[in-house]
Amino acid sequence: MTQKQTLLGRVAQLAKANINSMLDRAEDPEKMLDQLVRDYTNSIAEAEEAVAQTIAGVRLAEADLEEDRAAATEWGRKAGAASSKADQLRGAGDTAGADKFDGLARVALQRQIQFEGEVTEAEPRIQAQNATVEQLKGGLTQMRTKLEDLKGRRDQLVARARSAEAQERVQGAIRSIDVMDPTSELSRFEDKIKHQEAMVAGRAEAQSTSIEDQFAELEDHSHDAEIEARLQQLKGGA
């Protein structure tokens, strides 16, 4: 009986397992859920086997009880037959024969009482064992229900965990963008473009300065020199 009570306690403990608290400690919810399903399935299989053994023991005890009941009935019938035979022999004047069958009747009655005692002792024990079996079945039902609930919630919980991770990554990206100054980056890029444009214009201007331009500039200086010379002549002539 103690062994059955221990088994009942184990089944009840497994049936009351707090899935949510286990998930709270999970670093990888998907792997944790898969492992939890495997462990819980194995625990149910072990409990089912233990309960099956318990039920088998009870059914054997019930079979023995029925045999004891049948034996008590059979020995009662034999006692009645021996007593009737003894009465017949005594009526016929065969006292020795009558005493013999009365002795057989007493033996049969003793056997009947023995089996009735075993039946009386076994009936409450088997009744208690059957109550235990029902409790064990109830515990297994709770375990199976919890397992199906776990399987059904697995995808939902994994999806929620992944969504939370994605939101956390997005928020992290947003925070990293917030610490940047996009206008300063654009201004720096604009200055770079202006510098490139100025360099292009400078190269174009340098390439456009030809030999003719240089002589034209020299002629302009010669013209100025002639004006200065004539001016000096005028002043000397005066």
Side-chain angles (χ1 to χ4, degrees), residues 210-228:
S210 61
I211 298 298
E212 289 78 6
D213 294 333
Q214 295 177 10
F215 275 108
E217 184 179 355
L218 179 61
E219 291 176 355
D220 289 340
H221 288 301
S222 299
H223 183 68
D224 293 340
E226 183 178 355
I227 292 173
E228 290 296 328

Side-chain angles (χ1 to χ4, degrees), residues 159-226:
R160 287 170 58 186
R162 290 177 177 174
S163 176
E165 292 176 358
Q167 291 178 9
E168 186 175 359
R169 288 195 296 269
V170 170
Q171 291 176 357
I174 292 175
R175 287 193 296 269
S176 66
I177 292 175
D178 289 341
V179 299
M180 296 173 59
D181 183 1
T183 57
S184 64
E185 294 296 321
L186 291 177
S187 297
R188 186 171 62 84
F189 186 63
E190 184 178 4
D191 291 341
K192 181 179 180 181
I193 293 175
K194 287 181 178 179
H195 178 72
Q196 290 177 340
E197 290 174 343
M199 289 296 297
V200 171
R203 292 191 184 97
E205 183 176 347
Q207 292 174 359
S208 64
T209 303
S210 61
I211 298 298
E212 289 78 6
D213 294 333
Q214 295 177 10
F215 275 108
E217 184 179 355
L218 179 61
E219 291 176 355
D220 289 340
H221 288 301
S222 299
H223 183 68
D224 293 340
E226 183 178 355

Side-chain angles (χ1 to χ4, degrees), residues 132-150:
T132 300
V133 166
E134 293 304 315
Q135 291 177 327
L136 292 174
K137 288 180 179 178
L140 283 175
T141 299
Q142 293 179 28
M143 292 177 69
R144 295 189 187 104
T145 301
K146 193 173 290 293
L147 178 60
E148 292 304 316
D149 178 64
L150 173 60

Side-chain angles (χ1 to χ4, degrees), residues 36-151:
L36 183 59
V37 169
R38 287 192 294 270
D39 293 344
Y40 211 64
T41 301
N42 293 335
S43 296
I44 291 177
E46 294 176 2
E48 286 176 342
E49 181 64 21
V51 172
Q53 293 177 1
T54 302
I55 293 174
V58 175
R59 298 298 173 256
L60 287 174
E62 289 176 338
D64 291 340
L65 176 61
E66 291 302 319
E67 290 180 0
D68 291 342
R69 285 173 176 165
T73 301
E74 179 63 18
W75 282 110
R77 185 191 65 77
K78 290 179 179 181
S83 178
S84 296
K85 183 66 175 178
D87 290 344
Q88 292 175 4
L89 292 174
R90 188 170 285 106
D94 187 357
T95 304
D99 291 341
K100 174 184 176 181
F101 278 96
D102 279 339
L104 290 175
R106 290 187 181 91
V107 173
L109 289 172
Q110 183 180 5
R111 295 288 183 87
Q112 183 185 28
I113 293 171
Q114 176 184 351
F115 282 110
E116 286 176 349
E118 292 180 2
V119 169
T120 301
E121 181 183 356
E123 282 179 338
R125 183 176 66 250
I126 293 176
Q127 184 177 1
Q129 290 175 343
N130 274 318
T132 300
V133 166
E134 293 304 315
Q135 291 177 327
L136 292 174
K137 288 180 179 178
L140 283 175
T141 299
Q142 293 179 28
M143 292 177 69
R144 295 189 187 104
T145 301
K146 193 173 290 293
L147 178 60
E148 292 304 316
D149 178 64
L150 173 60
K151 289 179 179 179

